[in-house]
Amino acid sequence: MTNIRQVYNWINGEYVPASNGETFDVTTPISQELIAEVSESTQEDADRAVAAAREAFDNGPWGKLTVKERSDKLRRMAEIIIERAEEIGTLDAMDVGKPIRNTVQGGEVDRSANNISFFADYAEMMHGEAFPMGKDYINYTTYDPVGVSVLITPWNIPFMLTTWKLGPALAAGNTVVIKPPEVTPLSVALLGEIAKEAGIPDGVVNIVHGKGGVVGNALTSHEAVDLVSFTGSTKTGTIIQQSAANTQKKVSVELGGKAADIIFSDADLKKAVPGAIRAAYTNTGQVCLAGSRLLVQEDILDAFLEAFVAEAKAFKVGDPNDVDTDMGPIVSEDQFQKVSSYIDWAKDNGLEILAGGKRPDNLPEEISEGYYLEPTIILAPDPNSKINQEEIFGPVVSVIPFQTEEEAIKIVNNSIYGLDGVIWTENLAKAHRVAHEIKAGTIWINDWFVRDLRVPFGGAKQSGNGREGGRFSMEFFTEAKNICIRIKD
Ligand code: NAD
């Protein structure tokens, strides 16, 4: 029997229940067991959190610290995240269903700590500019914090994605209100106490839990909020931009994707097959960057599929707490139903299921109620079909055969999304050529999901606007101000 955690809001340096005392239940996808009761916040809670962040920004000590003093506290925060890696990783394994080996051991928790320490270091390197106007005037530019920043993140990589926003927001001197994903709020709930332990003043980091349409909307439309940084679905991103427009907040949205993984006939299949497997099934395919459309050049289709299907079938699906597990469950019943509906659609439309398409047989009794699905491969030659156009966000990959480079580019760009793309070829000139033609924010050649925190990350088309990473994040979380001085007599 799992302990049921009580998860509270974090406002002005302390845990507080929702103002009306309401909670909502969180279950684990591993077994459907209840694991937490979480504060279900209202407009009143959003108001309290924003007021705390406002006061801390306008009158608190945070903005008066030197950059070095702020950065030192953030580096301490990163150290505490590493010290608590086991706890954070275990919570994400239980809450999201991530294999423990992807969270704790060298995985997402390390990256989360790095998200904080990287921006602490980065802030210390930032500088303004000067624009002299002959001998008459001089302009100089400063980069000031924007103010109260609302950070909203999705359920698939909750802790890592929240720290990806929190690092630059705090390093730039802002105060924040975090709205964690209601499906997987447990690890993010710890960020307030971690900040406090690192010496970050009360009111700088606040967290309110609850439904996006209620407390999320209360935050994005709030008059005292200056900025919204959102990662989530394209549908919600649209609503948020509309809601934030009433007060002209700064808004950045990182949204859905439907990446194509292109396997040219001159690819090295020893690299391409495991690479495409990783792109398709990491985090049970619940990754915005997932290579969910697999374009394979026709002359290697049989050889590629033989190896790809064999690797997918060899996958160990099961309890994420087991270090041998390759793939855990889908996050929730709703998501399981959504993903299954695409498989049903494929079957109803006569598409060939090359692997998976069902729950694994012989799940151990204790996890038999969990939302497990085998890695699924569907031969879906029509690029316009629903399965190739909509974001499925589960362990389902559709295979689209193609003949020429031009045809591949056309298929890849036939999407409302443009988050990323992956190219497998040993021909460097072709790799560059195709990379330039794909309309997406990130292209990987002969690998997938390799991240350098300095580079721009974000989506083209309906995958979002704005970029995160290095100077791109710092520009978003600061307000450039020009000061013009008359120096002539
Ligand atoms: P979602 O849009 O349903 O929810 C994301 C967050 O927004 C949650 O915290 C939710 O509570 C909140 N929210 C919902 N309605 C709101 C509203 N009206 N106002 C304010 N907040 C609201 O997304 P999800 O289902 O949690 O996540 C999956 C989606 O996220 C996928 O589309 C995936 O591609 C995308 N994603 C994108 C990236 C990226 O970097 N581009 C990364 C991870 C996930």
Side-chain angles (χ1 to χ4, degrees):
M1 177 74 189
T2 318
N3 278 339
I4 299 168
R5 296 172 77 92
Q6 300 301 316
V7 177
Y8 299 110
N9 292 337
W10 177 270
I11 299 178
N12 212 12
E14 59 180 8
Y15 283 115
V16 284
S19 48
N20 60 7
E22 295 289 315
T23 61
F24 61 94
D25 291 345
V26 172
T27 56
T28 174
I30 299 174
S31 62
Q32 291 199 40
E33 259 182 289
L34 179 67
I35 52 171
E37 290 167 349
V38 183
S39 297
E40 178 148 13
S41 308
T42 60
Q43 173 81 45
E44 198 179 329
D45 301 297
D47 288 345
R48 287 174 66 189
V50 171
R54 190 78 259 166
E55 174 62 20
F57 185 80
D58 292 341
N59 302 313
W62 188 235
K64 300 186 183 75
L65 298 180
T66 63
V67 177
K68 163 117 183 29
E69 286 167 333
R70 264 205 308 267
S71 289
D72 281 346
K73 291 186 190 308
L74 290 175
R75 282 185 282 264
R76 178 66 197 126
M77 190 172 174
E79 282 170 9
I80 298 169
I81 289 173
I82 294 294
E83 285 160 21
R84 296 180 69 169
E86 192 74 32
E87 177 191 1
I88 296 163
T90 307
L91 284 178
D92 268 357
M94 191 163 71
D95 204 5
V96 190
K98 289 173 187 296
I100 194 91
R101 71 165 196 244
N102 296 346
T103 60
V104 184
Q105 290 129 357
E108 287 178 15
V109 183
D110 281 358
R111 163 72 196 278
S112 304
N114 203 17
N115 285 343
I116 305 282
S117 58
F118 170 84
F119 283 105
D121 296 346
Y122 200 97
E124 289 189 306
M125 309 283 279
M126 279 184 63
H127 50 79
E129 296 103 21
F131 302 91
M133 294 167 70
K135 292 179 182 163
D136 295 343
Y137 294 89
I138 183 160
N139 297 279
Y140 70 93
T141 304
T142 60
Y143 289 88
D144 299 343
V146 181
V148 174
S149 303
V150 162
L151 316 180
I152 303 180
T153 44
W155 50 256
N156 62 330
I157 320 180
F159 196 78
M160 196 285 277
L161 286 173
T162 305
T163 53
W164 179 229
K165 300 179 184 302
L166 186 63
L170 294 183
N174 300 286
T175 60
V176 306
V177 180
I178 297 169
K179 210 302 276 171
E182 60 268 44
V183 182
T184 60
L186 304 190
S187 56
V188 179
L190 299 176
L191 280 166
E193 64 175 60
I194 293 174
K196 185 165 182 142
E197 199 185 330
I200 293 172
D202 292 349
V204 173
V205 176
N206 305 278
I207 304 172
V208 281
H209 297 278
K211 299 282 175 328
V214 180
V215 68
N217 182 57
L219 292 170
T220 56
S221 59
H222 207 292
E223 286 213 338
V225 167
D226 303 296
L227 170 155
V228 177
S229 175
F230 172 76
T231 298
S233 64
T234 297
K235 188 172 160 215
T236 308
T238 309
I239 296 171
I240 283 180
Q241 291 187 82
Q242 287 163 347
S243 148
N246 64 344
T247 51
Q248 303 302 333
K249 295 174 181 65
K250 261 185 130 170
V251 183
S252 143
V253 293
E254 300 284 353
L255 308 175
K258 186 77 183 173
D261 208 343
I262 314 173
I263 322 283
F264 283 106
S265 55
D266 55 10
D268 178 349
L269 293 193
K270 283 199 241 25
K271 293 184 227 154
V273 171
I277 286 276
R278 204 164 69 82
Y281 302 122
T282 295
N283 209 34
T284 318
Q286 302 165 131
V287 180
C288 51
L289 303 163
S292 53
R293 288 184 296 162
L294 196 47
L295 273 66
V296 186
Q297 202 153 18
E298 267 184 6
D299 37 2
I300 55 152
L301 185 64
D302 291 345
F304 177 85
L305 283 181
E306 191 184 334
F308 188 76
V309 169
E311 279 216 26
K313 285 188 170 165
F315 242 50
K316 185 161 185 282
V317 181
D319 188 338
N321 290 306
D322 181 344
V323 285
D324 295 330
T325 292
D326 295 309
M327 199 173 89
I330 290 174
V331 75
S332 65
E333 181 168 6
D334 281 356
Q335 192 61 19
F336 184 84
Q337 297 302 348
K338 181 185 158 199
V339 175
S340 301
S341 75
Y342 284 96
I343 297 172
D344 292 344
W345 181 89
K347 288 176 182 162
D348 291 348
N349 284 275
L351 299 185
E352 192 180 347
I353 314 284
L354 302 174
K358 62 178 180 58
R359 286 167 62 83
D361 305 321
N362 308 324
L363 283 170
E365 179 59 30
E366 63 278 12
I367 62 165
S368 59
E369 297 298 310
Y371 306 116
Y372 299 88
L373 193 64
E374 288 179 351
T376 298
I377 307 167
I378 302 172
L379 190 59
D382 177 4
N384 293 314
S385 67
K386 170 186 166 83
I387 209 161
N388 284 321
Q389 289 294 321
E390 296 177 14
E391 186 184 42
I392 300 176
F393 222 58
V396 178
V397 73
S398 50
V399 177
I400 311 172
F402 71 91
Q403 285 179 345
T404 64
E405 188 179 315
E406 292 69 29
E407 189 190 357
I409 292 164
K410 213 168 141 196
I411 295 171
V412 172
N413 287 334
N414 174 18
S415 171
I416 60 164
Y417 296 110
L419 191 57
D420 63 316
V422 194
I423 300 165
W424 297 89
T425 172
E426 293 297 298
N427 179 332
L428 199 56
K430 187 196 290 176
H432 281 290
R433 238 177 8 242
V434 177
H436 281 279
E437 292 299 327
I438 296 178
K439 292 186 180 60
T442 300
I443 306 292
W444 280 290
I445 295 169
N446 293 331
D447 216 321
W448 176 77
F449 213 155
V450 178
R451 296 286 290 117
D452 178 325
L453 305 194
R454 295 168 302 175
V455 308
F457 177 87
K461 301 197 270 185
Q462 293 189 34
S463 289
N465 61 44
R467 292 291 182 270
E468 295 183 295
R471 73 176 165 85
F472 306 93
S473 291
M474 293 309 278
E475 273 173 18
F476 177 64
F477 282 105
T478 54
E479 202 81 77
K481 183 201 283 171
N482 189 60
I483 299 172
C484 179
I485 311 165
R486 175 180 166 131
I487 51 177
K488 70 180 173 185
D489 272 349

